[in-house]
Amino acid sequence: VMMLQLPLVVTAQVDLVLLLVSLLALWTRLSRLSYPNAVVFDEVYYGQFVSLYMKRVFFIDDSGPPLGHLILAFGAYLGGFDGNFVWNRIGAEYPSSVSVWSLRLLPALCGALCVPLVYLLTLELRFSHLSALGAALLLLLENSLIVQSRFMLLESVLIFFVLLAFFSYLRFHNTPSSCFRYGWLILSGASCAAAVGVKYMGVFSYLLLLGVASLHTWNLIGDRGCVCRVVCLLVVPVLLYVFWFYVHLSLLHRSGPHDQLMSSAFQASLEGGLSRITQGQPLEVAYGSQVTLRSSASQPVPCWLHSHKANYPIRYENGRGSSHQQQVTCYPFKDVNNWWIIKDPGRQELVVSSPPRPVRHGDVIQLVHGMTSRFLNSHDVAAPMSPHAQEVSGYIDFNVSMPTQNLWRVDISNREAESESWKTILSDVRLVHVNTSAVLRMTGVSLPDWGFRQLEVVADKLFKAQSSSLDWTVEEHRYGTSQEQKEREAELHSPTHIDVNRKISFWAKFLEVQWKMLTVKQEDSEHKYSSSPLEWITMETNIAYWLHSSTNAQIHLIGNPVSWGVANLSLLAYQLLAAVYLLRRRRGFKDLPDGVWSQFVCLGCVCVGGWVVNFVPFFLMEKTLFLYHYLPALCYLHLLSPALLEHTHTHLLRYIYHSFGMLLVVLSYRTFCPLTYGSPELSANQLQGLKWRGSWDILYRRR
């Protein structure tokens, strides 16, 4: 038996350079993190979502998935933030009860960790420690990255997960075969899911990583290792992406200001709001049911099928005539005139029988307006604003040879079986006009003053069969008990409830939230500091993040001009070198050994490819853009610059260039520190001296 040898000795290797740049990164990002003690630029935007998380109130942000907001909210939670702060003004002072440090902590930590990650990533690209140090210093001293990391913003979080994903994958690829190396691959897949979960721009870096991994995996097709890569880089990210939404929806269970973006079923699943109205409603719509019908086309503003005691004008302004019958519209507010009664055409009763007779798919019904008793009608008369479609009216018999045509067939578009009954909130229903086969729909066009600016409703034959804009949902529902008109009007004003509880599944919620995030866009407006992608490359623009209320102390999003210029030169130089190499290799001249050529190609795939996928897509986006959108692409160029210097120069020249270049970067960083940290305060003349470009908007007070 072997005896344990004493003493036990543990030997560890510590990269002191890595440790030093890590400490410097923490110092530049976390020092005086609570300054300024005021809302800075987009903190006013993200802070609203943090407060909603603290109060468990549902929201939807069309700018991206929820993980970034969850991370910010976690930082706020650690600091004891209760959500009770009004985020309505940039520059508003935080009260003493709000831990500003904790609100900004996690983005700052992510920004600091990006520096050692770039160091390690350069080593995984097979370049020297000197190049790794150069890349780390470029990120360390990049003023724009420091500013963006020190506040409650998401770019530093996105960049951290993207760099972590590439580092983890390359560490996996470079590690000799062993079962433990798949831990790196799982971490890479999880980081990809996190990057996409913070902002959808992370998708492009994820696709780039998949492309690199596909090239590496090509020779492994059919091998067990190929299956593991698919699981780690495809299955794991998808599962985690869904998990972010599971956490998001589990936390936000209360009704809030964004409910109207969602379907009636979704709203009814939240505490308060619509659920207070709809809880306990009968599930199955029956003959005699009193209902409100919400249009699926009315997004993001909801509207309900409506009628009132006003008729269409005899003639419109363009000279066309109408039926002069009662107007039927879509009204974007709760109103007693939104109530309709489901009537059996073969019976006169407007009350629910005992037992109730449910309405099923394919049944023919009549819809009676609750307050005016007019039947929902359509006929071969042109609609007021959409003359290609039929007018929809509340039928009035004027004895002018215009017979009633008030039969509608119920078509449940999301039914599970042909015998499906019409369900409150859950069923998406199309009402097909029996006489003409036209379908009832809301056009979204506002009527003139005679229609009180309400939205036009028509019966349309020219529609796309799969269009969800044709669907209507029963939102409020009760079983009618009053046959007489006056009693019925009183009943419509006084809804009653029965205690019943209905919920929709997580998957239904997930798919709906995902669809809304991708399709519902808020109106973009011009901003003083908005810019175009081409302006980012030359840093034509800056953003004033914060200005002291009484002094010249201020914070700007301005990049380090020297490192920014080096990044652009490196991008151009790599492309020229690659073109020369490829042309000469085409002619049979191999200037580089195969190993060095592979290293050069990998550098281009990761760095130049990363810049392309994080920059070019912005040319296709119809949204307000800012300089900070360029920061993920810029990080790839900072990764490229030192490695390219190592590739193109001898050791002596490389040393000279590194030393001189880094000296300029340090001097430039120090020059712009007052605009990075907001202190020390500069005089108007000193601020004027920092205006290196005429297009920069430097603010100063003359005394």
Side-chain angles (χ1 to χ4, degrees), residues 166 169-170 173 188 192 202-219 229 233-234 601-602 604-606 609-610 613:
F166 274 97
Y169 174 75
L170 290 175
H173 179 68
S188 179
C192 289
V203 169
F204 299 108
S205 292
Y206 175 43
L207 293 177
L208 175 64
L209 188 144
L210 286 180
V212 173
S214 299
L215 294 175
H216 291 160
T217 310
W218 181 254
N219 295 326
R229 295 180 187 220
L233 294 181
L234 289 176
V601 171
C602 185
C605 288
V606 173
V613 300

Side-chain angles (χ1 to χ4, degrees), residues 588-609:
F589 298 102
K590 290 191 175 181
D591 301 298
L592 302 174
D594 289 341
V596 177
W597 172 247
S598 297
Q599 182 192 48
F600 182 79
V601 171
C602 185
L603 178 67
C605 288
V606 173
C607 298
V608 179

Side-chain angles (χ1 to χ4, degrees), residues 535-590:
E535 292 177 306
W536 303 339
I537 298 177
T538 54
M539 205 162 53
E540 287 286 335
T541 182
N542 68 304
I543 304 177
Y545 270 16
W546 172 79
L547 175 66
H548 194 278
S549 58
S550 59
T551 72
N552 275 328
Q554 54 194 282
I555 294 175
H556 287 254
L557 185 72
I558 294 181
N560 186 317
V562 173
S563 62
W564 211 283
V566 169
N568 291 334
L569 287 174
S570 300
L571 177 64
L572 181 61
Y574 184 92
Q575 295 176 77
L576 292 174
L577 268 177
V580 170
Y581 285 150
L582 288 171
L583 286 172
R584 288 181 58 80
R585 290 175 75 88
R586 181 69 175 172
R587 294 173 61 85
F589 298 102
K590 290 191 175 181

Side-chain angles (χ1 to χ4, degrees), residues 13-316:
Q13 288 185 330
V14 178
D15 188 333
L16 293 179
V17 174
L18 175 61
L19 180 61
L20 178 62
V21 296
S22 299
L23 292 175
L24 287 173
L26 290 170
W27 178 71
T28 56
R29 270 68 176 175
L30 269 68
S31 63
R32 298 185 66 205
L33 195 58
S34 297
Y35 178 82
N37 188 46
V39 178
V40 174
F41 202 63
D42 273 353
E43 285 187 336
V44 75
Y45 176 75
Y46 292 112
Q48 300 174 54
F49 301 126
V50 170
S51 286
L52 291 174
Y53 268 122
M54 296 299 104
K55 297 179 179 181
R56 304 293 190 268
V57 172
F58 174 77
F59 70 85
I60 183 169
D61 178 20
D62 65 344
S63 67
L67 180 61
H69 299 310
L70 283 167
I71 290 172
L72 298 181
F74 181 64
Y77 172 78
L78 293 177
F81 181 55
D82 58 7
N84 292 320
F85 180 75
V86 180
W87 306 87
N88 59 357
R89 182 173 60 87
I90 296 173
E93 292 286 328
Y94 288 112
S96 58
S97 59
V98 175
S99 174
V100 183
W101 190 82
S102 69
L103 291 177
R104 298 169 178 170
L105 173 63
L106 295 183
L109 275 177
C110 288
L113 292 174
C114 288
V115 175
L117 266 179
V118 161
Y119 182 94
L120 294 170
L121 182 52
T122 304
L123 296 179
E124 293 303 325
L125 287 168
R126 305 296 194 185
F127 288 91
S128 68
H129 283 79
L130 185 59
S131 292
L133 175 60
L137 288 177
L138 284 173
L139 251 74
L140 176 70
L141 303 176
E142 176 52 59
N143 300 70
S144 59
L145 290 174
I146 295 174
V147 169
Q148 202 68 15
S149 300
R150 288 174 55 81
F151 302 107
M152 192 172 54
L153 309 171
L154 290 181
E155 272 64 35
S156 63
V157 183
L158 170 63
I159 294 169
F160 167 74
F161 283 122
V162 167
L163 293 176
L164 182 60
F166 274 97
F167 163 69
S168 303
Y169 174 75
L170 290 175
R171 172 62 65 89
F172 159 79
H173 179 68
N174 295 332
T175 301
S177 296
S178 71
C179 59
F180 297 106
R181 73 182 188 132
Y182 282 97
W184 290 110
L185 193 61
I186 293 173
L187 178 59
S188 179
S191 300
C192 289
V196 177
V198 171
K199 283 197 170 187
Y200 278 129
M201 276 305 298
V203 169
F204 299 108
S205 292
Y206 175 43
L207 293 177
L208 175 64
L209 188 144
L210 286 180
V212 173
S214 299
L215 294 175
H216 291 160
T217 310
W218 181 254
N219 295 326
L220 297 176
I221 293 178
D223 188 83
R224 185 176 63 180
C226 180
V227 177
C228 292
R229 295 180 187 220
V230 170
V231 171
C232 293
L233 294 181
L234 289 176
V235 177
V236 169
V238 169
L239 292 177
L240 284 176
Y241 180 77
V242 174
F243 178 70
W244 312 144
F245 281 90
Y246 179 80
V247 175
H248 175 73
L249 293 172
S250 298
L251 290 174
L252 307 183
H253 54 81
R254 292 176 180 160
S255 173
H258 295 181
D259 292 9
Q260 66 177 15
L261 295 172
M262 313 308 291
S263 68
S264 300
F266 194 106
Q267 292 183 54
S269 70
L270 301 172
E271 293 178 12
L274 183 63
S275 66
R276 288 184 297 179
I277 301 173
T278 60
Q279 185 177 9
Q281 292 184 153
L283 175 61
E284 293 187 333
V285 177
Y287 292 105
S289 285
Q290 298 169 357
V291 300
T292 61
L293 291 163
R294 172 172 162 163
S295 170
S296 298
S298 55
Q299 298 294 354
V301 179
C303 85
W304 294 267
L305 190 65
H306 176 94
S307 189
H308 43 242
K309 291 183 178 180
N311 296 355
Y312 291 111
I314 297 176
R315 289 200 176 276
Y316 303 123

